[in-house]
């Protein structure tokens, strides 16, 4: 935007004040940049092979088998919590506006699965988003707690930038109120699939954690 050179000092200060108020509270989850995704041989390294998590690849025809697995894993996780699906879903419903704001808005607006929510029996796009977050979040927590899962594509898919889910979502669905327990579960998964254990432990000595944005933000 071109700056108006006729503004007074007071008006310029007011512009700065409003810009500060409108400042983003944190990074939003978004996909790999298009200029990278469109490079030859690059797209296959950006896209999931079995499961989608979140809105970016949700509903892709090649991932329908993964949708069935996610349902199974979500049900398994919920069973281990000793809580009802309804109570866990209600937590997401209460915070759905906050959760949606953690994603780039275009991710939902540009996905036909969310635009055509009524065809899937949902009364609003918020209901569709809420259900998707609920199932995906529970499925991811099951995978994080079971890093030896037999599908070799699953750890790869979980670690894709396009498949990240907000930490707030996992926190709301976690089996207890111990955020540290959740963080340790996430770290354990990363230890197995990404981090050299000794190096990771050394790097974290004395480090004061704030909540990560998502798994890859640890």
């Amino acid at each position: 935007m071109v700056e108006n050179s006729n503004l007074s000092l007071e008006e310029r200060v007011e512009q700065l004040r409003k810009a500060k108020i409108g400042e983003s509270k944190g990074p939003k989850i978004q996909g790999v940049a298009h200029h990278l995704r469109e490079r030859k041989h690059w797209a296959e390294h950006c896209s999931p092979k079995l499961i989608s998590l979140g809105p970016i690849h949700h509903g892709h025809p090649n991932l329908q088998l993964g949708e069935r697995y996610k349902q199974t894993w979500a049900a398994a996780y919920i069973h281990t919590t000793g809580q009802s699906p309804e109570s866990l879903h209600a937590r997401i419903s209460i915070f759905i506006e906050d959760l949606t704001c953690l994603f780039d808005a275009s991710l939902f607006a540009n996905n036909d699965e969310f635009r055509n929510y009524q065809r899937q029996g949902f009364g609003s796009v918020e209901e569709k988003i809420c259900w998707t977050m609920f199932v995906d979040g529970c499925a991811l927590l099951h995978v994080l707690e079971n890093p030896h899962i037999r599908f070799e594509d699953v750890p790869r898919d979980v670690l894709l930038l396009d498949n990240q889910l907000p930490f707030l979502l996992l926190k709301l669905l976690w089996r207890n109120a111990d955020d540290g327990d959740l963080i340790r579960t996430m770290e354990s998964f990363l230890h197995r699939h990404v981090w050299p254990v000794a190096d990771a432990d050394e790097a974290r000595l004395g480090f004061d954690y704030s909540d990560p944005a998502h798994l890859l933000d640890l």
Side-chain angles (χ1 to χ4, degrees), residues 79-97:
H79 178 74
T80 65
T81 68
Q83 302 175 61
S84 70
E86 291 82 2
S87 65
L88 289 174
H89 182 270
R91 296 182 192 175
I92 307 307
S93 182
I94 291 169
F95 288 93
I96 192 58
E97 184 175 344

Side-chain angles (χ1 to χ4, degrees), residues 82-131:
Q83 302 175 61
S84 70
E86 291 82 2
S87 65
L88 289 174
H89 182 270
R91 296 182 192 175
I92 307 307
S93 182
I94 291 169
F95 288 93
I96 192 58
E97 184 175 344
D98 300 277
L99 289 166
T100 303
C101 288
L102 295 175
F103 293 90
D104 187 295
S106 66
L107 300 183
F108 298 105
N110 295 337
N111 187 320
D112 287 341
E113 289 289 309
F114 294 98
R115 286 202 300 261
N116 300 323
Y117 61 86
Q118 291 175 314
R119 297 179 186 175
Q120 302 163 61
F122 295 100
S124 67
V125 68
E126 288 78 17
E127 284 185 17
K128 166 65 177 176
I129 294 172
C130 187
W131 182 254

